[in-house]
Amino acid sequence: MERSDIEALAHGCSLLGSGGGGRTTYLELLAAQAAWPITLHDVSDLDPTTPCIAAAFAGSTMLIAERLPAAGSFRPLIAAVERWLGHDVPALCSFEVGGMNGLTGFVAAEGRMLVDADGMGRALPRMDQLSLAVDGVPGLVFAVGTGHGVAVIESPNADEAEAVVRSALRQAGGTGSVVVGGFTVGDLVAHAMPGMLSHALRLGAQYLQARDERLEDFAAAIGGRLLAQGRIGASEGDADPQVHSYEIDDIDGTVHRLVTRTETLALVSDGRLVSASPDVLVVVDPRTKDIIEVPQLKLQQQVAVIELPVADWWRRSATRLRRVLPSFYGLEALDPVAAA
Amino acid sequence: MSGLHVDALRAEKINGGVTYEAGPRDAVWERAEVALVDQDLPSDGSGRFAIVVSPVPAESWRVDALLRRVRDRGYVGFAAPGAARLDAGSRRLAERIGLLVLGVERPFELAEVTWRIAEARDALALDLIRRLATAFRYPASDLRDLLGHIASSAGYGVALLDADGVYEQAGGDLGSAAAMIDWSVGIDILEHEGMSVASTRVDRASRPGLRLAFFASGVGQAQRMALAVAAQVTMPAVAARILIDEIAAVSDASASSELLRDFLDAGEQDADIGRRMTERGWRTTGFHLGFRMVGRTRLDPRELLRAVTAGLGEFEVEAHATTMGRGVVGWMRFVERPDPAELDRQVRRLRELHLQVRRTFNIATGVGTLQAGGAGLSATIDDAVGAARIAVERSLSDWFVRIDAFGLEQLLLARTESDTFVPAAEALLAPLRAEGGGLIETLAVYLDNESGIAATAQQLGIHRNTVAQRVRRIEELLGVDLRDASARLALHLASRAMLR
């Protein structure tokens, strides 16, 4: 991959962010300082026994924009994981392709082999939604910055890892860096989503090529389904302070409700659920096709909602699906009936 | 069976606190289903109304989904607590998918009333009758009070109508629907501009042409039938009330009539009479102007009194009336002596009342002189009685005579009654009779009006110049000067005698 690919990759990652995952701008600048070109290794090209890690920035995406993380913040974490495992880890893959973390691998690799695979296939809020954790790959080790030090967590229970990582992030000031190790490149074939980085690159290229076209054609060009186009008429909160719902008054009269959390979660049109997590719901400006993140949504804004299909990996078992359906966030009513 | 709609529910007194929120107002349904949550509603809701006991969710997307689920099962309407907080989007959705949405405070009550209206119209009527029964539990002071009790117990409007329209009503305004009632049938049920009216004839021998109507706006067929039942059931009570009021009026009239007679006979010095007058509010201090209305043909003095009392109610001065003989006697009371202009104004009002009453009763009216104190009251009534006796014969003044201050009319009356006077008068006025052309009438009226050309012209309905011409012609024919007082007196007497 060349340095000039960053723009397309960033747009692809933003689309897969599903309205969340953080803006890519800062990571684009950090990635530009890496040593290009960078080779993106296919999973099948490497020895399956090669130890591998994944890295991500975590915490509030809004805080990250305020407290810019340092490029070198992963080094002590990776060192801690390597110490814990007792051997070097020569490969690094993507933790979360959606949003800013789609570019994190290019910043954190620092000479390690960058593997074209991802642990989420989109943006998701929690550690226990990492595909390797969902499948219960044994021996996973999380390392997280605690502000000045490092916490290393080894637990067969992904919920525990999530809870401890979350409290470490709070201790670190709301944002920080997370690294997970203890798996091999071979594990990525079954327990992660190989090819996601190159997929994001292709998606971004299609986006850049089609962004001047009509909305319908644009949606088709990026492989998506145009679900709504209109004005945000109202917004309201929920019992869960993270959940919001935006009323989109469609130009054809349909009453849409876009339900969001840190990412977009579901779209209800005229009272019918038309799309829900894990599928990706991208909000764009209908004219400029600028990708709009959830925190940027505001009243009277003209928006279009496009559904992009999520990686098949999530639908291959009920256990996996359960971790990403709206019911996982307590919104059972937004689960597609067929899946429930 | 005709269906139920939102206005019919809202017209019910007990309706669970229903409010219209969104969707098509004209939705009609046959029956309602009740469930704790919408998922428990029967899956085939076609043409039905869904009542959900659980409050609607707070989140609008959940509300949207709920409305859609209910509509997808075929329900035409939906009511649940908290529907008032639907946001604009959900309201638009209700309109889009054609689902009537109602708010309700007490869903079970709504379910019950819906069942009663839609499926058990007898229950509806029975319930109404049960409620009406409470109206008779408390004594009503008069007809108006009774209608008020009935209206508030029934929760509908009640009106008593006569040929002129609404006579008395309570619990609403019947409005223009009153004119639509068919008087030829015993029970009439109609709907006019959203107002439903059920009316029944009131059987009363003394006052024919009364109808009792129950009315309500926006109710359905079943409720209209219940209104008709209510009208039929209530009618005898209303008829009885009218009878009771009439008897009370009769006994009151005879008591007051007797008191007046005693007063005129004995005066107020009698302590008992004085007390009875005080109880009745008849005060003798101040100034009084008596009047007497007497039937020129047979009439019921009590009916006349009713009409006169109603008319007196609109006077801004204190006025009393009671029956006496073939008619009514009354008087106005002034605390201060009224100036002549004010007195004239009150006499004009009496004259208007006289003309108004004459449309129904063939009466003559006499008005007395203004008198002060208790003795004055007797005197002015005596004057009025005398004046009425004159008025009976006075078609020219529309059977209305006011005694002037000098008692001339009494004098005239006494003179003209003598047998010798009439032939003399005939001889005196023979030239005028020979000439014809209403000269005698003109002379009489001219003298009545104290030689006023304009007043004479007005009373006779002819031009002033004609009056002036006739007066000159009369002076020529009779060879008299009408400015001569003795000539005037003679001619006045003669002309009055001739015209009797």
Side-chain angles (χ1 to χ4, degrees), chain B residues 18-263:
Chain B
V18 146
T19 52
Y20 168 81
E21 296 302 338
R25 263 184 182 280
D26 52 3
V28 173
W29 61 92
E30 299 289 342
R31 51 179 292 197
E33 300 290 348
V34 191
L36 190 61
V37 292
D38 75 283
Q39 284 87 348
D40 295 345
L41 288 166
S43 57
D44 175 25
S46 56
R48 296 185 200 176
F49 188 87
I51 300 170
V52 170
V53 178
S54 306
V56 297
E59 301 86 357
S60 297
W61 61 267
R62 289 188 200 271
V63 177
D64 282 8
L66 168 65
L67 299 184
R68 168 59 81 171
R69 284 196 300 272
V70 172
R71 185 70 189 106
D72 282 354
R73 272 185 265 181
Y75 291 92
V76 297
F78 165 78
R85 62 167 174 259
L86 256 60
D87 76 346
S90 296
R91 285 168 199 267
R92 236 158 14 88
L93 178 63
E95 196 65 51
R96 268 177 74 75
I97 61 179
L99 182 72
L100 170 69
V101 179
L102 304 181
V104 59
E105 288 170 22
R106 300 173 297 280
F108 287 112
E109 192 177 291
L110 174 63
E112 192 188 332
V113 75
T114 308
W115 173 80
R116 272 194 289 122
I117 297 174
E119 299 189 7
R121 61 178 66 176
D122 285 347
L124 198 67
L126 276 173
D127 181 64
L128 182 52
I129 290 167
R130 197 174 301 123
R131 274 187 277 146
L132 277 171
T134 63
F136 307 118
R137 214 174 276 168
Y138 310 101
S141 61
D142 56 18
L143 181 62
R144 174 182 298 203
D145 199 23
L146 177 70
L147 293 182
H149 284 190
I150 293 172
S152 68
S153 310
Y156 296 115
V158 181
L160 192 64
L161 303 102
D162 62 13
D164 295 335
V166 175
Y167 174 75
E168 198 76 75
Q169 64 182 352
D173 183 14
L174 184 53
S176 59
M180 310 305 292
I181 291 173
D182 181 359
W183 284 71
S184 64
V185 295
I187 298 164
D188 178 51
I189 300 171
L190 68 89
E191 196 193 351
H192 174 66
E193 291 174 358
M195 179 73 89
S196 295
V197 186
S199 66
T200 181
R201 206 180 276 146
V202 178
D203 299 324
R204 275 295 296 124
S206 72
R207 292 177 76 183
L210 279 180
R211 286 190 87 85
L212 177 67
F214 273 66
F215 57 91
S217 55
V219 302
Q221 178 64 17
Q223 286 150 303
R224 270 198 290 282
M225 301 311 291
L227 288 183
V229 173
Q232 284 171 282
V233 168
T234 320
M235 185 275 282
V238 172
R241 182 74 227 186
I242 294 171
L243 185 65
I244 292 165
D245 284 358
E246 276 173 2
I247 291 170
V250 165
S251 76
D252 182 71
S254 57
S256 66
S257 179
E258 193 183 338
L259 174 59
L260 184 65
R261 211 162 38 242
D262 291 350
F263 167 70

Side-chain angles (χ1 to χ4, degrees), chain A residues 40-210:
Chain A
L40 204 51
H41 295 275
D42 199 276
V43 174
S44 56
D45 291 348
L46 297 175
D47 181 351
T49 61
T50 313
C52 186
I53 53 169
F57 291 110
S60 158
T61 55
M62 278 161 82
L63 270 181
I64 288 172
E66 298 282 329
R67 302 176 63 208
L68 297 175
S73 64
F74 292 107
R75 282 176 213 145
L77 305 186
I78 295 172
V81 170
E82 286 177 338
R83 269 202 308 283
W84 183 266
L85 295 172
H87 57 75
D88 287 352
V89 180
L92 184 143
C93 69
S94 170
F95 195 113
E96 174 192 36
V97 75
M100 62 193 288
N101 277 329
L103 298 166
T104 304
F106 296 84
V107 175
E110 293 187 304
R112 289 187 171 76
M113 291 182 290
L114 185 59
V115 185
D116 184 8
D118 182 61
M120 287 184 170
R122 49 164 292 167
L124 289 168
R126 290 166 60 99
M127 299 301 142
D128 52 1
Q129 290 169 311
L130 179 72
S131 61
L132 297 153
V134 170
D135 275 2
V137 172
L140 286 186
V141 177
F142 287 84
V144 56
T146 54
H148 297 94
V150 179
V152 176
I153 305 133
E154 192 192 59
S155 168
N157 187 330
D159 295 351
E160 278 178 31
E162 158 67 20
V164 179
V165 166
R166 209 48 69 182
S167 54
L169 286 172
R170 256 199 303 282
Q171 173 63 32
T175 67
S177 312
V178 179
V179 163
V180 61
F183 59 94
T184 64
V185 170
D187 290 330
L188 295 175
V189 178
H191 306 302
M193 285 150 261
M196 269 323 284
L197 287 175
S198 47
H199 171 71
L201 180 62
R202 275 194 307 279
L203 188 62
Q206 288 160 347
Y207 169 92
L208 291 174
Q209 205 179 355

Side-chain angles (χ1 to χ4, degrees), chain A residues 12 15 34 75 88 95 233 237 248 254 262 340:
Chain A
L15 288 172
R75 282 176 213 145
D88 287 352
F95 195 113
I248 302 173
T254 309
T262 50

Side-chain angles (χ1 to χ4, degrees), chain B residues 367-492:
Chain B
V367 180
T369 50
L370 186 71
Q371 303 281 357
L377 178 56
S378 292
T380 189
I381 288 173
D382 279 347
D383 284 351
V385 169
R389 208 174 296 142
I390 298 166
V392 167
E393 307 291 345
R394 295 285 288 277
S395 70
L396 271 181
S397 59
D398 288 324
W399 291 280
F400 183 88
V401 166
R402 175 188 170 194
I403 295 285
D404 66 29
F406 305 104
L408 181 60
E409 292 285 353
Q410 286 127 306
L411 193 65
L412 283 171
L413 184 71
R415 286 297 181 100
T416 53
E417 274 168 357
S418 96
D419 290 343
T420 55
F421 186 79
V422 176
E426 270 174 5
L428 180 60
L429 297 179
L432 302 187
R433 171 155 295 186
E435 179 85 1
L439 287 181
I440 296 179
E441 286 84 352
T442 306
L443 178 61
V445 173
Y446 178 69
L447 293 170
D448 278 352
N449 284 292
E450 295 166 21
S451 306
I453 300 276
T456 310
Q458 195 179 2
Q459 189 169 339
L460 290 174
I462 56 178
H463 197 269
R464 305 160 47 128
N465 290 350
T466 314
V467 176
Q469 265 171 18
R470 285 186 187 175
V471 170
R472 270 200 307 280
R473 184 68 186 143
I474 290 164
E475 286 180 324
E476 279 170 28
L477 286 170
L478 298 179
V480 297
D481 181 352
L482 286 176
R483 283 168 300 182
D484 178 71
S486 55
R488 284 162 54 94
L489 180 57
L491 288 171
H492 205 171

